Amino acid sequence: MARIADTFARLRSKGRKAFVSYIMAGDPDRERSLEVLRGLPGAGVDIIELGLPFTDPMADGPTIQAAGQRALGGGMTLEATLGMVRAFREENDETPIVLMGYYNPIYSRGVERFLAEAKEAGVDGLIVVDLPPEEDDELCIPALKAGIDFIRLATPTTDDARLPRVLENTSGFVYYVSITGITGSAVPKPSDVAPEVARIKAATDLPVIVGFGIRDPESARGISEIADGAVVGSAIVSKLAEGGPIEELLAYVRSLADGVHSG
Amino acid sequence: MPDDLINSFLNAPDEKGRFGDFGGRFVSETLMPLILSLEAEYDRAKTDESFWAEMDHLWKHYVGRPSPLYRADRLTEHLGGARIYLKRDELNHTGAHKINNVLGQILLARRMGKERIIAETGAGQHGVATATVCAKFGLKCVVYMGAHDVERQKPNVFRMRLLGAEVVPVTSGRGTLKDAMNDALRDWVTNVRDTFYCIGTVAGPHPYPAMVRDFQSVIGKEVRWQLAEQEGEGRLPDTVIAAIGGGSNAMGLFHPFLDDRSVRIIGVEAGGKGVDDKMEHCASLTGGRPGVLHGNRTYLLQDDDGQILEGFSISAGLDYPGIGPEHAWLHDTKRAEYVSITDREALDAFKLSCALEGIIPALEPSHALAHVMKIAPDLPSDHIIVMNMCGRGDKDIFAVAEHLGVDL
């Protein structure tokens, strides 16, 4: 039942990099959001990050902010997000799902209750942007005890002195934030990112996935050449916001996946 | 923990930045190294006499401190009970208490070699103070302000621009203070290497709540010796009262009195149209519950799903859905009492201050004054109330005129 570890083992045996894609739960509405979620594995997505909508997404750019507002506007909740995961798991027991968001909705529900519900629904990992290692007692340690990976962000400001602290309780994989900034902003240069990924890999056996600012098959390939995989979020979310048919969106996702898998 | 089990209230926060269960450092990893280096720099500055000597010099010659402690005789007589003193922080340069803290943070930014300062502002007072001090030191200044507040605080927007600051109207969310803070955090995470975030209130990740409180505590420290000077050696106030949005002027007045258990401490939140289930208020302690936002755990206005609600108040300086974590702790330990005052009550107090004392107060301290009006008549004449008149009302005359149905 370790979907994240199994996925990386399988990819490694095929010599492939991981394609991680992000969508916001409930965006643009619950029905279409679930349809897209169900379509992602078939479009080549190896790991799914499912955004938990929050009113105050301090680390996100305008694209993800707008997606969260659309979701909340449609009445999306934490409970309904877990419901989406359950519905997805009815037909897919393989593709890992990582919930990504902010702490308050989880804190509001109660950490123990949330972890039990998330585990039961089929959630494999958590990325909670506003919980640095200094606050590990809040959710990270309880999540690890509950058998849910806690995936930490490492950033360009995480220096060598701090890196061990960041890696200490990280599990599943390390998410390297390629830029100092918010989601969906500057495009990272693989030549800048490569030494950072190497630095992190020297300190951990976990896979290192790179995200923030990757928006087309070419940049996805460039990044996956120097890391264990790439995350695309805002580019997919903004395509979804354009409102075209879902097949078209999934074809776009497929092109990104091909970029990563050729890297 | 009830307050009689706490030896001293002056030892908080702990090394994790916690006031009891409140406070902390809930920020993204990108900001964490900077938060830690700010904490280290502040720890050094705190015990560095040259730092405080520079502060004292600027407070005296640039800000105009100490601000007077003024016995409001006509108000006292009118209310017919307790003796009322006003701490005149509205007489500071830039017209509010905000500059006390800004000076401290800008001196720290200079020590850290940061040349670009960002700030969030609600009513515009913190933005004006930040723009002012940046102009004085030749620093680049960017102020994030909710688009709604830009509209209702035009004079302050113009002031900031005159002072050379770039004012960025924030349209995300409902365009108020909380959204301005989100965008300031987004700027900071993007420009973390050269930028210092000058937070305007006793909130945010540790060390901000403690640091801003320390800079604002000059208010309460002055009250101690000023009252002794006027009322006799050792005379402490019986009650201290201040308005609370994030709570920096209140924390500054309260903190030096926290361990004087004879001093009753009252914080006044903005009750908007009334604290009820319609949520048209900003009373985080009276109408909210604990949560995590903007780097700290504190009381927040939020729905059942942990989504943050927008506050509502006649005063742009008070409509923040949270409150400083130290207030949350003082509330839970019952060391301080927190009450709420409606827009209507604040307007009545505003008019009374103009009519009886010749002081046009900002709408923020008008809330505090409204509570003074409620309790003073029932208190004996030897009971001394000190209320923080934390800002002047020039910026609010348009909003007040509108509410009074006057066309300017």
Side-chain angles (χ1 to χ4, degrees):
Chain A
M1 279 304 287
R3 295 189 194 93
I4 293 177
D6 291 352
T7 297
F8 280 107
R10 194 170 55 248
L11 287 168
R12 236 187 330 266
S13 72
K14 291 189 204 161
R16 269 163 68 151
K17 299 302 175 66
F19 176 48
V20 183
S21 80
Y22 172 100
I23 59 166
M24 175 69 79
D27 171 45
D29 54 57
R30 293 193 201 195
E31 202 174 294
R32 271 186 288 176
S33 185
L34 180 59
E35 200 182 333
V36 173
L37 181 68
R38 285 179 159 149
L40 291 175
V45 173
D46 300 305
I47 297 173
I48 297 169
E49 281 179 16
L50 185 60
L52 272 177
F54 183 48
T55 38
D56 294 80
M58 280 124 2
D60 285 301
T63 304
I64 305 288
Q65 287 174 43
Q69 281 176 0
R70 283 192 296 272
L72 292 172
M76 200 60 190
T77 60
L78 177 53
E79 190 160 315
T81 303
L82 294 175
M84 265 181 82
V85 177
R86 266 182 222 110
F88 176 85
R89 284 278 171 251
E90 282 168 13
E91 49 190 55
N92 180 316
D93 197 31
E94 204 170 65
T95 309
I97 292 188
V98 174
L99 291 186
M100 182 167 184
Y102 297 81
Y103 185 37
N104 198 54
I106 294 171
Y107 178 73
S108 168
R109 195 160 188 84
V111 165
E112 293 304 327
R113 178 181 175 194
F114 164 77
L115 288 173
E117 290 172 345
K119 185 73 188 166
E120 174 272 321
V123 169
D124 303 287
L126 301 173
I127 300 176
V128 183
V129 182
D130 50 356
L131 286 177
E134 280 72 8
E135 303 292 352
D136 268 358
D137 293 342
E138 294 281 332
L139 180 64
C140 173
I141 304 296
L144 295 178
K145 279 189 189 142
I148 296 181
D149 283 324
F150 198 85
I151 293 139
R152 183 96 60 202
L153 306 179
T155 73
T157 58
T158 311
D159 61 17
D160 287 338
R162 184 167 169 78
L163 189 57
R165 181 103 204 246
V166 169
L167 296 173
E168 192 181 356
N169 292 318
T170 301
S171 63
F173 58 92
V174 179
Y175 187 134
Y176 181 67
V177 176
S178 59
I179 49 157
T180 59
I182 50 179
T183 53
S185 46
V187 184
K189 276 197 224 123
S191 57
D192 290 347
V193 176
E196 294 295 302
V197 171
R199 185 167 71 92
I200 297 167
K201 287 189 76 74
T204 180
D205 293 332
L206 292 170
V208 179
I209 304 297
V210 175
F212 278 45
I214 303 167
R215 58 185 62 175
D216 52 46
E218 207 167 312
S219 53
R221 190 181 63 227
I223 288 296
S224 63
E225 276 168 359
I226 53 116
D228 296 309
V231 190
V232 181
S234 297
I236 294 172
V237 170
S238 79
K239 189 87 179 168
L240 181 59
E242 286 167 17
I246 285 175
E247 303 78 63
E248 219 169 86
L249 174 80
L250 292 174
Y252 171 68
V253 173
R254 162 62 67 190
S255 72
L256 293 163
D258 290 346
V260 171
H261 292 146
S262 68
Chain B
M1 197 188 303
D3 73 339
D4 53 6
L5 295 179
I6 294 175
N7 285 330
S8 172
F9 284 89
L10 305 181
N11 298 330
D14 66 16
E15 71 283 358
K16 288 183 76 187
R18 296 295 180 97
F19 302 89
D21 199 31
F22 300 102
R25 288 177 287 217
F26 297 88
V27 296
S28 62
E29 172 58 24
T30 309
L31 294 178
M32 209 47 227
L34 187 68
I35 299 273
L36 294 172
S37 75
L38 172 62
E39 186 186 345
E41 188 67 44
Y42 179 57
D43 280 345
R44 276 192 295 275
K46 237 181 351 191
T47 52
D48 180 349
E49 278 178 29
S50 71
F51 177 78
W52 291 106
E54 192 175 3
M55 285 288 284
D56 286 341
H57 181 86
L58 288 165
W59 270 339
K60 181 174 179 189
H61 298 286
Y62 191 65
V63 176
R65 300 210 72 92
S67 68
L69 181 68
Y70 164 70
R71 201 178 67 198
D73 287 341
R74 293 243 295 153
L75 206 52
T76 298
E77 194 185 331
H78 175 81
L79 296 174
R83 200 175 317 153
I84 298 159
Y85 281 85
L86 304 176
K87 178 60 173 164
R88 303 288 305 277
D89 254 51
E90 100 279 14
L91 293 176
N92 293 338
H93 181 38
T94 73
H97 67 289
K98 292 291 186 185
I99 197 164
N100 301 333
N101 158 52
V102 169
L103 269 177
Q105 289 197 49
I106 298 296
L107 291 188
L108 271 182
R110 279 161 54 85
R111 287 166 77 107
M112 294 174 78
K114 307 284 182 188
E115 289 177 348
R116 181 175 178 272
I117 308 296
I118 58 170
E120 84 295 333
T121 197
Q125 292 306 108
H126 175 60
V128 167
T130 306
T132 297
V133 180
C134 284
K136 180 187 156 36
F137 286 108
L139 299 166
K140 184 171 167 47
C141 178
V142 179
V143 179
Y144 288 89
M145 188 169 186
H148 179 61
D149 291 334
V150 167
E151 201 45 48
R152 60 177 172 171
Q153 300 290 343
K154 281 181 190 154
N156 271 344
V157 173
F158 184 57
R159 276 185 197 107
M160 286 184 269
R161 290 185 172 144
L162 282 174
L163 291 160
E166 180 190 344
V167 180
V168 183
V170 173
T171 53
S172 64
R174 214 183 69 181
T176 58
L177 180 55
K178 141 180 118 69
D179 309 299
M181 200 150 178
N182 287 335
D183 268 19
L185 283 162
R186 290 179 185 122
D187 178 312
W188 201 21
V189 88
T190 306
N191 302 294
V192 62
R193 290 193 169 96
D194 72 339
T195 297
F196 186 99
Y197 182 14
C198 182
I199 295 184
T201 191
V202 284
H206 179 64
Y208 281 97
M211 181 173 74
V212 175
R213 172 202 71 198
D214 291 347
F215 293 143
Q216 291 293 1
S217 292
V218 68
I219 298 171
K221 287 176 188 160
E222 286 175 4
V223 166
R224 281 188 92 96
W225 65 258
Q226 287 173 319
L227 195 68
E229 216 171 64
Q230 295 178 59
E231 293 281 349
E233 196 60 38
R235 183 67 162 100
L236 293 175
D238 297 297
T239 300
V240 291
I241 298 188
I244 297 185
S248 71
N249 93 79
M251 223 41 253
L253 175 63
F254 298 170
H255 192 258
F257 296 106
L258 290 181
D259 278 352
D260 298 291
R261 306 295 170 107
S262 68
V263 179
R264 186 179 175 196
I265 296 174
I266 305 176
V268 183
E269 296 192 284
K273 292 181 182 174
V275 182
D276 53 27
D277 52 7
K278 280 191 284 187
M279 296 305 282
E280 289 174 306
H281 63 84
C282 312
S284 318
L285 288 174
T286 325
R289 63 191 162 87
V292 172
L293 180 72
H294 293 156
N296 57 182
R297 173 164 29 232
T298 188
Y299 277 76
L300 299 171
L301 301 181
Q302 54 184 321
D303 69 11
D304 292 342
D305 204 39
Q307 305 294 340
I308 310 303
L309 300 170
E310 299 281 353
F312 176 92
S313 169
I314 186 175
S315 162
L318 298 179
D319 71 352
Y320 180 68
I323 185 166
E326 192 164 6
H327 286 296
W329 179 58
L330 295 176
H331 171 265
D332 277 18
T333 56
K334 300 189 167 29
R335 174 62 188 101
E337 303 161 47
Y338 293 86
V339 298
S340 69
I341 284 292
T342 65
D343 288 352
R344 172 54 54 194
E345 291 167 327
L347 277 170
D348 288 343
F350 178 97
K351 288 189 281 187
L352 192 71
S353 175
C354 295
L356 292 184
E357 296 293 349
I359 296 172
I360 301 178
L363 283 168
E364 293 83 352
S366 298
H367 285 73
L369 183 58
H371 193 68
V372 170
M373 288 161 62
K374 279 188 181 175
I375 65 170
D378 297 329
L379 293 167
S381 59
D382 61 353
H383 186 106
I384 293 178
I385 295 179
V386 175
M387 185 210 109
N388 199 11
M389 183 58 81
C390 62
R392 65 176 184 232
D394 307 43
K395 69 181 174 62
D396 291 318
I397 53 169
F398 300 99
V400 171
E402 193 186 317
H403 282 272
L404 299 180
V406 178
D407 196 10
L408 290 185

